Amino acid sequence: MIDFRYHLVSIIAIFFALAAGIVLGAGPLSDTIDDTLTDQTSDLREDNRRLREQLETANEEQAYQEAFVNEITPRLVSDQLEGERVAVIALPGASEDTVEEVSEALERAGAEADLTVSIEPAWTDPDSEPVLDQLATEMVSSGTELGAGNGFDRGAAVLAAALLSRSPENGEADAPARTVDTMVVTAYEEAGMIQLGHDASTTPTMAVAVAGPVSGDDADERLSRLLKLTDELRANSDGVVVGGPPATAQNGLVAALRGADVEDDADEVSTVDVIDLPTGRVAAVFALAEQQRGGSGHYGIVGDTDGALPPVQDSDAEDDDEDPGTDDGSDSDDEDPEDPEDVEDEADEAGNN
């Protein structure tokens, strides 16, 4: 059993240790400790200064790159979408600035980006299913199949058919362009499901959907509803590109589209995960041009992508395929005086004469 003398000795030892520490700290070790702290503080200040300089340099480089791309974008995308009608669909959470910048990039590419529609956050609310189902039932037009899906599916089918249309087939080259179904658009707007930004009379044949972050405990369910809407947009058009900031490719709509379990036409949708950057908007333009040619891909910096942007179509490719002909316009079937067979024929004719 530990007695009182043991406790007393322990307490005395502790006080001796404290006294020794005070004496050493105030005497022989004080200068060493002060010098060490001074050196460490100086090193930290220097590291902090270097990091600030690196951050400033990185910000300046980023600003320069964005300014450079903004200046060269008109040349990069010029005529890539000449005459195409493209809708800009702002999905819940999309940045208004990004939506506006996407419209500007499309116009620089020669497209008519007159129609801008915002999908309200209420679209993905669970309580919106009966509202969308009723809208779809009341506003469905001939030629649109509602199918056996839920209210979100049916509502997406009717809205997509009202906003978009496919280009005429080869045998219908002279068919008049369809007009946007304003009755449907108005009904959905009054129900609080969408908001019409810029209007267009003629239906676009392609679309760029700008996605935003989706969060909450029911994020997966909300993403599935947006995925179905994207599927219907693709089914009613010649092509759709969905773009967003990098976060949307980590756990948002872009990630869902890049996943294996996509529905129907959604696997033909192209994605860009840096559409908030000038380079990403250039990629979106080229992705739409690729959709015109029947292709699709996923572009950006997050995960396993198909690269920074789709292969750029050479504008001179068609000219290279054409027969160049001859410079003097002579018939290609004319005899070549240097052809040995022609020379031999002429010699035979001379001998016969």
Side-chain angles (χ1 to χ4, degrees), residues 19-344:
I22 293 172
V23 171
L24 292 174
L29 297 180
S30 64
D31 293 339
T32 303
I33 294 173
D34 290 343
D35 291 343
T36 301
L37 290 175
T38 301
D39 291 342
Q40 289 178 345
T41 303
S42 178
D43 291 342
L44 289 173
R45 286 199 185 101
E46 181 63 21
D47 290 343
N48 190 32
R49 183 190 63 81
R50 268 199 312 270
L51 290 173
R52 279 202 308 268
E53 290 180 351
Q54 292 174 2
L55 179 60
E56 290 174 0
T57 301
N59 288 336
E60 290 173 356
E61 291 175 353
Q62 178 71 20
Y64 168 77
Q65 291 173 0
E66 292 189 7
F68 179 85
V69 175
N70 280 329
E71 289 295 328
I72 203 172
T73 291
R75 294 186 179 91
L76 288 174
V77 303
S78 178
D79 300 330
Q80 288 295 321
L81 299 172
E82 186 64 34
E84 289 294 327
R85 300 189 303 275
V86 183
V88 179
I89 311 295
L91 299 176
S95 164
E96 294 182 4
D97 291 339
T98 300
V99 171
E100 187 65 30
E101 288 161 346
V102 167
S103 297
E104 292 174 0
L106 293 171
E107 291 172 354
R108 289 171 178 170
E112 298 176 11
D114 297 330
L115 181 64
T116 302
V117 177
S118 297
I119 305 299
E120 293 294 288
W123 182 285
T124 61
D125 289 345
D127 296 340
S128 296
E129 180 178 1
V131 178
L132 288 169
D133 194 37
Q134 183 177 356
L135 283 170
T137 303
E138 294 176 353
M139 306 306 299
V140 63
S141 59
S142 60
T144 300
E145 296 183 5
L146 289 181
N150 58 32
F152 295 107
D153 300 342
R154 293 153 64 88
V158 172
L159 179 64
L163 296 175
L164 302 170
S165 64
R166 289 184 175 274
S167 297
E169 300 293 340
N170 293 334
E172 304 175 351
D174 296 331
R178 281 188 51 225
T179 57
V180 174
D181 193 330
T182 54
M183 290 184 62
V184 172
V185 172
T186 300
Y188 275 69
E189 191 169 23
E190 290 177 349
M193 296 294 105
I194 68 171
Q195 184 176 351
L196 186 63
H198 300 287
D199 198 1
S201 57
T202 305
T203 53
T205 58
M206 307 185 81
V208 175
V210 183
V214 178
S215 59
D217 296 336
D218 60 345
D220 291 341
E221 289 79 6
R222 291 179 183 272
L223 282 174
S224 68
R225 293 156 193 160
L226 293 177
L227 191 63
K228 182 59 182 178
L229 175 60
T230 305
D231 178 34
E232 291 295 341
L233 293 174
R234 181 64 184 88
N236 286 274
S237 68
D238 294 342
V240 171
V241 173
V242 175
T248 60
Q250 295 167 346
N251 53 10
L253 182 60
V254 172
L257 286 165
R258 291 177 178 180
D261 300 328
V262 293
E263 304 177 40
D264 302 332
D265 294 285
D267 58 352
E268 299 176 3
V269 173
S270 295
T271 62
V272 177
D273 61 38
V274 284
I275 206 167
D276 54 327
L277 299 178
T279 48
R281 293 187 284 276
V282 171
V285 168
F286 283 109
L288 269 184
E290 182 184 42
Q291 290 267 332
Q292 282 181 312
R293 303 190 296 270
S296 63
H298 305 295
Y299 308 103
I301 61 175
V302 179
D304 186 13
T305 67
D306 297 314
L309 74 168
V312 179
Q313 192 80 347
D314 188 356
S315 59
D316 297 329
E318 296 181 359
D319 296 336
D320 294 341
D321 294 336
E322 295 179 358
D323 185 3
T326 56
D327 293 339
D328 59 0
S330 60
D331 191 345
S332 59
D333 293 334
D334 290 347
E335 295 179 352
D336 184 355
E338 299 299 328
D339 190 337
E341 294 182 1
D342 294 340
V343 173
E344 184 178 350

